[in-house]
Amino acid sequence: MTLDEILSSLFPKGHDIDPRSDHLILGMGKRGNGGTVEVVGIADGEALGIEGVLPLARRVLDIVARGGKAPILVIVDTQGQLMSRRDEMLGLNEYLAHLAKCLLLASRSGHATVGLNYGKAVAGAFLATALATDVLVALPDAEPAVMDLPSMARVTKLPEDKLKELSQTTPVFAPGLAFMSAVGAVAQVWDPAKPLADQLEATLAAIPARDKRDVLGAERGGRPIAAQIARRVAHQASGDDYV
């Protein structure tokens, strides 16, 4: 689906999101119940650099400052963080971390946050946007990946062929929607043949009280022991039960 098709299906009652030369998505959509959804994101596979991060973070902080409980939808199609020496030297990692913390602040301030990946979503730009929300959903054509295999080979110093072999049996080594769903990162894959507005409302109605991605990963077999380890660490750190 194109972004226009997605927005039309999400907001049949209208929205004020217009195409921008910087490929950022900033605006608001009308819900069927009379409420609104704040929308931020990045489109057209654009890389996310510091000039893109700042307007997104400012918009999220403005939403929090205004108060209310309007949900925030983070729509993402990005090839990843901008590969620029200038941005790296200026601390792009800190900018991306700031954006992720703004979304966390919004969530803790009562704004349910939903990530929607409809194209590429890679590396730091993926972590700081769609993956920093309460729930991440995707359309069937989405291509999410924390890191592609050639990059992973450079970082881990493992041969790429070895990583390809491991990716066949261990989802944490593999990019792609099926594997990201298996590890619990993608909670749902929406059906583009059905109204996205209805699927968004269903997702908003089922936002979990706490992050359940590790539990989903265990249920789906992609991360069989991560949830157990998280519970054990939380219990030993606090002494309380962690369910």
Side-chain angles (χ1 to χ4, degrees):
M1 298 178 76
T2 65
L3 180 59
D4 283 345
E5 293 170 339
I6 291 169
L7 293 173
S8 296
S9 186
L10 280 169
F11 307 116
K13 291 186 174 296
H15 63 82
D16 63 1
I17 303 164
D18 295 320
R20 294 168 52 104
S21 60
D22 58 9
H23 305 281
L24 297 181
I25 302 170
L26 297 168
M28 183 178 64
K30 297 179 181 178
R31 302 170 69 179
N33 62 6
T36 58
V37 177
E38 301 287 349
V39 184
V40 299
I42 185 165
D44 307 319
E46 183 74 3
L48 186 60
I50 59 175
E51 274 77 16
V53 168
L54 289 177
L56 295 177
R58 176 179 296 173
R59 178 59 185 268
V60 175
L61 291 177
D62 286 345
I63 294 167
V64 174
R66 284 203 305 270
K69 302 294 182 185
I72 299 174
L73 180 64
V74 184
I75 303 178
V76 171
D77 173 15
T78 174
Q79 61 181 276
Q81 74 267 29
L82 183 64
M83 296 297 180
S84 157
R85 177 180 294 275
R86 169 185 174 274
D87 280 38
E88 293 288 347
M89 295 301 292
L90 288 173
L92 177 57
N93 59 319
E94 295 291 343
Y95 284 79
L96 291 169
H98 172 64
L99 176 56
K101 286 186 282 189
C102 289
L103 288 168
L104 179 59
L105 173 66
S107 174
R108 292 188 175 182
S109 300
H111 300 273
T113 58
V114 176
L116 171 57
N117 177 202
Y118 74 100
K120 294 183 179 297
V122 183
F126 177 36
L127 301 178
T129 56
L131 204 52
T133 55
D134 295 326
V135 172
L136 171 60
V137 302
L139 290 170
D141 291 338
E143 302 176 49
V146 174
M147 186 177 290
D148 60 26
L149 292 181
S151 299
M152 193 180 295
R154 288 195 295 273
V155 172
T156 64
K157 310 303 181 187
L158 292 172
E160 188 174 335
D161 288 342
K162 179 65 175 179
L163 292 173
K164 288 179 180 176
E165 177 186 341
L166 289 170
S167 71
Q168 301 305 308
T169 55
T170 308
V172 295
F173 284 99
L177 181 56
F179 295 113
M180 294 299 286
S181 295
V183 300
V186 175
Q188 308 159 22
V189 178
W190 284 356
D191 183 351
K194 299 178 180 177
L196 297 186
D198 294 344
Q199 295 175 80
L200 174 60
E201 292 299 332
T203 297
L204 289 172
I207 296 287
R210 75 165 186 86
D211 197 316
K212 293 283 188 180
R213 278 170 264 226
D214 56 353
V215 176
L216 282 178
E219 292 173 352
R220 296 170 179 175
R223 288 192 297 166
I225 63 174
Q228 298 174 33
I229 293 173
R231 282 197 296 272
R232 188 184 307 168
V233 170
H235 174 70
Q236 292 181 356
S238 67
D240 297 329
D241 290 335
Y242 185 78
V243 179

